[in-house]
Structures are given as C-alpha cells and as structure tokens.
Amino acid sequence: LALLAVISLAWSLDPTYGQQKLSVWVFTGLLPAAFVLVLGASSMRISWILILAVSVLTSGYFLLAAAPDVEFGRSTIFGWNPIWSSRVAAVGALVALFGPFPTWVRVLALPVFLMHGWAAGAMGPPLGLALGIGAGMIETLRLRETSSRRVRFGLLGIWLVAGCVLLVFLTGLFEPALAPVTGDANVTSRADLLAVTPPLFIASPVVGIGLGGFAVTGFVNPYPHNLPI
C-alpha cells in the first residue's frame, strides 16, 4: 500500500497535497499498525504491566493537569490532539480488561481510564472502546475451554446486542436524545466525506485519482478524517 501510494503521486490531481497525506498516513496509520503486528507476534513477550502503567500515569496526569485545547475546545495534555489523548484511556481500559492482571488491578485502573475518557469529551475513542470490548469478548469466548454450545450462545448474545444498537440508529428511535451526537460536525463531516467517495471511485476504479487527488473536491484538510477517501 505504501509503494502504491508513492507511485500514485505520479498521476495525482494534487501531488503536493498527496505528499502531506502520505506523511500523515505513514505516521498515524502504517507505523502504529506495524507496531501492533510486532507486539502481537507469538515470539514477543509483551510487558503488559508496563503498557498498563504508562496508560494509568498518562490518564492520571490528564485528570490532574488537563487544559482546554485552543483549536478544539476540549481538554488535553502536552498539546496533543484531544482525540489522541483520550485514546490513551480507551487503549488502557482494553489492556486492563483483557490483560493478565488480577481483579484488584482492574478495579483500580478502570475508573481512572473511564474518568479520563468522560472528561476528554471525544466520541471516537469511547466507540472504539465499545468495539474493542466486543472483539475481546468474542476472542475470550473462542479461546475458553467450554462447550461449543455455550460459546455459540455467547457469540449470539453479542451479535444480538450489536444488532439492537444498529437498529436503534437506523430507526431513529432515540433521535432526539442522539441529536447532539448525530448533529456534531465531526460526525456530519465524516458522512460528507463518505458521500463524495463513490463517485471518485466510479470515475477511476482501476488506478484511482492518485493520493491526495480528492483535494479537487474541496475537502482539503491534513486531518486524518479524510484518509479513507
């Protein structure tokens, strides 16, 4: 993918912007994904306690010293983007939930992460946390040495909950209560970005319009939200 992205700059409609997107993608997508693959290798002896400790310290410092970000108006630390800051809490919570820790460690760590996530005010990380918990539960059921019937019932329950949540969104059952979320600019902008993507694909389904070429649509922004385009 990285090689294809570099080559596509040759026919990109905006190669200069494409180079900006390439750097964003490499440092916020490719390298973190490679790091996760290395950690997940069977030969690695992951120090989960170290990862958990760093996450707890970061979230604890956030609760003590966070300040509003000038650009986004949300609380953050070290000048980080508030979304990236709150993802520390989401990842830490997943490590605490599914890592090899005793119950008392989970009881002490989880409130710190949950308070951090709540105070940060970002919606993406809590959604990622919910999806991560679902994936973790499915993997736990898959690995647990129980009867296949119990595993099937557990998986069925998870999918039923996910289906009910999706049904609520599709039917608009709680639309008034969800209005602050569905009307948020960070949500509507993603919908706008997804809406312009199919015509771009149909116009050039084989080689595309080159990395960054979608800048001609007017969605010029170095923020990662438009990376899927």
Side-chain angles (χ1 to χ4, degrees):
L1 285 176
L3 179 61
L4 177 61
V6 172
I7 295 175
S8 73
L9 291 173
W11 62 81
S12 172
L13 299 179
D14 193 336
T16 301
Y17 183 62
Q19 293 175 21
Q20 297 177 23
K21 297 307 297 183
L22 179 63
S23 64
V24 171
W25 177 61
V26 168
F27 287 105
T28 66
L30 185 63
L31 291 180
F35 182 69
V36 169
L37 287 176
V38 171
L39 280 180
S42 58
S43 60
M44 291 293 294
R45 296 178 61 86
I46 303 172
S47 178
W48 290 114
I49 188 65
L50 177 60
I51 296 175
L52 182 66
V54 171
S55 301
V56 169
L57 290 174
T58 303
S59 291
Y61 182 75
F62 176 93
L63 294 175
L64 294 174
D69 178 80
V70 175
E71 181 179 359
F72 298 95
R74 295 172 178 168
S75 297
T76 187
I77 51 176
F78 307 129
W80 295 347
N81 183 312
I83 295 177
W84 303 118
S85 169
S86 58
R87 280 186 178 140
V88 172
V91 171
L94 290 174
V95 171
L97 281 170
F98 299 105
F101 306 112
T103 301
W104 67 267
V105 172
R106 305 180 202 277
V107 172
L108 292 177
L110 283 173
V112 177
F113 296 133
L114 294 177
M115 287 189 292
H116 177 179
W118 177 267
M123 292 181 290
L127 177 60
L129 175 59
L131 294 174
I133 291 174
M137 291 173 63
I138 290 174
E139 183 65 6
T140 300
L141 285 171
R142 188 183 71 84
L143 296 176
R144 182 167 295 171
E145 296 181 357
T146 57
S147 67
S148 58
R149 175 179 293 181
R150 291 184 61 183
V151 171
R152 286 198 297 269
F153 274 113
L155 292 174
L156 178 62
I158 293 174
W159 288 118
L160 283 176
V161 172
C164 289
V165 172
L166 180 61
L167 186 64
V168 166
F169 276 96
L170 292 178
T171 59
L173 184 62
F174 296 113
E175 185 61 32
L178 295 174
V181 175
T182 57
D184 187 275
N186 290 304
V187 176
T188 57
S189 63
R190 284 172 168 82
D192 293 337
L193 290 169
L194 292 173
V196 303
T197 305
L200 293 178
F201 174 77
I202 293 172
S204 186
V206 179
V207 297
I209 57 175
L211 187 64
F214 65 87
V216 297
T217 63
F219 288 97
V220 180
N221 190 335
Y223 199 66
H225 286 180
N226 56 14
L227 277 176
I229 299 182

